[in-house]
Amino acid sequence: MKLVAAQYEHILPLLEQMGAARRQEMVAIGEHLSASPADMVCSSLDNSAESFVCIDDGDPVAMGGVVGIPTGGFCWMIASTPRLERHKKWFLSESRSQCERLADAYGNLYVDVAAEEAKSIRWLGWLGFSMTAKYTAFGRDVCRLERRA
């Protein structure tokens, strides 16, 4: 596994690595925005002050970034969870290191996660995030988590 700067050519292979349920979730959200999953990831990449991709055996298995906002940094990530699970120790170590680096650079960090993503919410808690709000967007329950400087 290695972490490199995200490129547009990583998007389609990553979306193909994702499970059908995750892709359907992105399609459902995209319908509200008149955007395909690839368009949504491109938009996230376009708006990010910095972005990354995790590469496993030449394949992108996770992509994320941070969008600078007046109160800190808004983080986003999509992943092929089964591929990351094979490298759990590396991923946990790298995510903690990157989270610390982003907190140093942006101060407060924010992330929105689908409420049913219990594993993601636990991981974010391990990284120092706390749930600060719940709301509904595009017919789905969403949790806002924050990591305060």
Side-chain angles (χ1 to χ4, degrees):
M1 289 282 282
K2 64 181 178 177
L3 196 65
V4 300
Q7 304 294 323
Y8 294 103
E9 58 264 18
H10 293 128
I11 295 171
L12 290 178
L14 174 58
L15 290 174
E16 290 169 4
Q17 294 281 332
M18 293 173 68
R22 291 281 168 110
R23 276 196 308 272
Q24 277 307 109
E25 177 181 317
M26 291 183 75
V27 167
I29 292 169
E31 287 175 356
H32 293 280
L33 301 172
S34 299
S36 71
D39 291 337
M40 291 187 302
V41 179
C42 280
S43 178
S44 294
L45 206 52
D46 288 343
N47 290 305
S48 293
E50 56 184 289
S51 55
F52 65 87
V53 66
C54 297
I55 303 289
D56 177 31
D57 293 328
D59 296 324
V61 296
M63 180 182 285
V66 62
V67 177
I69 59 175
T71 57
F74 194 90
C75 304
W76 63 273
M77 187 175 120
I78 61 169
S80 170
T81 304
R83 293 285 295 267
L84 285 180
E85 293 274 336
R86 294 193 329 220
H87 303 283
K88 186 184 288 187
K89 190 173 184 177
W90 178 90
F91 179 73
L92 291 173
S93 173
E94 190 64 33
S95 63
R96 177 161 276 170
S97 172
Q98 292 300 317
C99 188
E100 294 297 328
R101 186 183 66 73
L102 292 173
D104 287 345
Y106 294 92
N108 297 327
L109 299 175
Y110 308 89
V111 63
D112 288 349
V113 180
E116 70 266 13
E117 296 291 341
K119 185 181 275 188
S120 295
I121 293 169
R122 278 194 312 274
W123 167 65
L124 288 163
W126 180 77
L127 290 173
F129 286 79
S130 299
M131 191 178 315
T132 58
K134 282 188 173 184
Y135 64 95
T136 301
F138 310 121
R140 304 188 64 226
D141 291 332
V142 177
C143 297
R144 165 73 46 93
L145 292 98
E146 298 179 10
R147 179 182 161 147
R148 293 286 182 178

